[in-house]
Amino acid sequence: INASPKAKGNTSVAVDEMVKTFNEEGIAAEVVQIGNKDIRGCVACGSCGKLGKCVFDDAVNEIAAKFEKADGLVVASPVYYASPNATLIACLDRLFYSSSFDKTMKVGASVVVARRGGLSSTFDVLNKYFTISGMPVASSQYWNSIHGGAPGEAKEDLEGLQTMRTLARNMSFLRVEFYSACAASMESAA
């Protein structure tokens, strides 16, 4: 999920670097751009418990259907006032609360993008969605962040780009190891 309102901004630089690495690893990836979508926050109506999905039929329900089938989820956000994009928070609150499928062992990773500060606090907020859902959180060689202020500036952050590639490889490894372990467990049970 790319939460930047700029479809080709610095957050896309980070996400695109990961997608290239996923492709090299033989893993299909789809980017969903939400930063420019009108996604409202949860209103605690409880309808999702009866409907099995959020009562507001927007991008959140579309993402939920994709997330249920996926092996993992990357959420990428620009940093605004030392926190994630508000659209992403609204999306994730509703996505994780309203979807009833088991998220345990789906690999999660957050990616944060800023000109300079607020990366660690944003990274922390996003990772909590994964940890409360029993999802292993993929790490890299550094916090999953990249720096860039002006459009395209993140392409110059060579360490940040390397961090994105390592993150994607680590997510790929976790996915493969998990499914190998499941297959071995099933074989030994048979």
Side-chain angles (χ1 to χ4, degrees):
I1 299 173
N2 181 343
S4 175
K6 298 175 182 165
K8 297 295 180 192
N10 288 315
T11 305
S12 288
V13 170
V15 170
D16 291 347
E17 197 69 19
M18 290 186 72
V19 169
K20 281 191 276 185
T21 304
F22 286 137
N23 290 336
E24 290 168 6
E25 296 286 329
I27 295 174
E30 177 184 352
V31 178
V32 178
Q33 181 75 33
I34 66 159
N36 54 2
K37 301 221 188 267
D38 186 20
I39 298 176
R40 65 177 301 145
C42 180
V43 296
C45 68
S47 295
C48 56
K50 297 175 194 111
L51 299 172
K53 64 179 186 174
C54 186
V55 69
F56 301 117
D57 198 19
D58 58 13
V60 173
N61 287 336
E62 294 169 21
I63 293 167
K66 293 175 184 191
F67 183 23
E68 184 173 13
K69 295 175 187 170
D71 298 326
L73 179 66
V74 176
V75 294
S77 180
V79 174
Y80 296 151
Y81 296 98
S83 65
N85 171 306
T87 303
L88 181 59
I89 293 297
C91 176
L92 294 177
D93 282 354
R94 289 179 42 220
L95 175 66
F96 278 81
Y97 187 75
S98 69
S99 57
S100 59
F101 60 87
D102 186 14
K103 297 163 192 69
T104 305
M105 301 315 290
K106 289 180 181 278
V107 181
S110 61
V111 171
V112 295
V113 182
R115 181 188 66 80
R116 185 164 299 280
L119 295 162
S120 294
S121 55
T122 303
F123 183 62
D124 183 52
V125 168
L126 295 176
N127 283 330
K128 285 183 170 67
Y129 289 95
F130 307 133
T131 59
I132 199 169
S133 300
M135 296 172 62
V137 179
S139 61
S140 186
Q141 66 205 38
Y142 196 70
W143 291 287
N144 304 343
S145 60
I146 193 166
H147 289 89
E153 196 171 54
K155 291 178 184 175
E156 298 171 23
D157 181 4
L158 300 182
E159 184 179 3
L161 293 170
Q162 177 60 40
T163 298
M164 295 304 112
R165 291 189 295 272
T166 301
L167 175 59
R169 281 194 295 277
N170 289 349
M171 282 190 80
S172 301
F173 174 82
L174 288 171
R175 175 189 174 271
V176 168
E177 288 303 308
F178 173 71
Y179 287 103
S180 295
C182 287
S185 176
M186 291 177 72
E187 285 176 16
S188 67

